[in-house]
Amino acid sequence: VQLEESGGGLVQAGGSLRLSCAASGTIFGVNAMAWYRQAPGKQREFVASISNGGSANYRDSVKGRFTISRDNAKNTVYLQMNSLKPEDTAAYYCKANIREYGSTYLDYWGQGTQVTVTS
């Protein structure tokens, strides 16, 4: 199983970006999918998650600005980020709980995509 993120980049404060993360491989099922971020010198932190039924959770600092969604047919999760702030600058990672054929559900991580917000 591989998770491939895309959509990061450089944006001015107040701007928007949309991140995507697609899972590929011999996938039998996908449970929760989530986004985390890690700024230089800081620990990785939770940003948002979404269940396979569409129930979403967010960290307080992004509520009202970020929206997580998923396309179950494509095994893809998205993060729409609006009203971006310099403090949102970080490498963003997706995580997915996936079951391959003949295996159990395991957590997989993507390689990360950089988001830089300038003031």
Side-chain angles (χ1 to χ4, degrees):
V1 173
Q2 289 187 328
L3 299 181
E4 183 173 356
E5 299 114 333
S6 61
L10 179 67
V11 64
Q12 287 188 329
S16 299
L17 285 173
R18 188 190 193 212
L19 305 183
S20 300
C21 173
S24 62
T26 54
I27 296 172
F28 179 80
V30 182
N31 278 338
M33 305 182 84
W35 289 95
Y36 287 72
R37 67 187 182 188
Q38 187 168 18
K42 295 187 177 181
Q43 289 189 333
R44 191 170 296 188
E45 63 184 21
F46 169 81
V47 176
S49 66
I50 186 167
S51 69
N52 55 10
S55 178
N57 288 288
Y58 300 91
R59 72 178 299 107
D60 286 345
S61 62
V62 308
K63 286 180 180 178
R65 299 189 298 122
F66 291 9
T67 302
I68 190 170
S69 61
R70 63 189 287 171
D71 184 333
N72 290 335
K74 297 181 179 179
N75 292 326
T76 298
V77 63
Y78 306 95
L79 186 67
Q80 177 67 43
M81 304 185 294
N82 299 328
S83 302
L84 282 161
K85 303 176 181 181
E87 51 263 44
D88 295 318
T89 295
Y92 282 71
Y93 299 86
C94 70
K95 184 180 81 169
N97 187 246
I98 296 173
R99 179 184 174 187
E100 289 187 275
Y101 284 96
S103 183
T104 59
Y105 279 96
L106 299 172
D107 284 338
Y108 294 87
W109 288 88
Q111 292 299 306
T113 185
Q114 179 67 35
V115 171
T116 302
V117 184
T118 61
S119 58

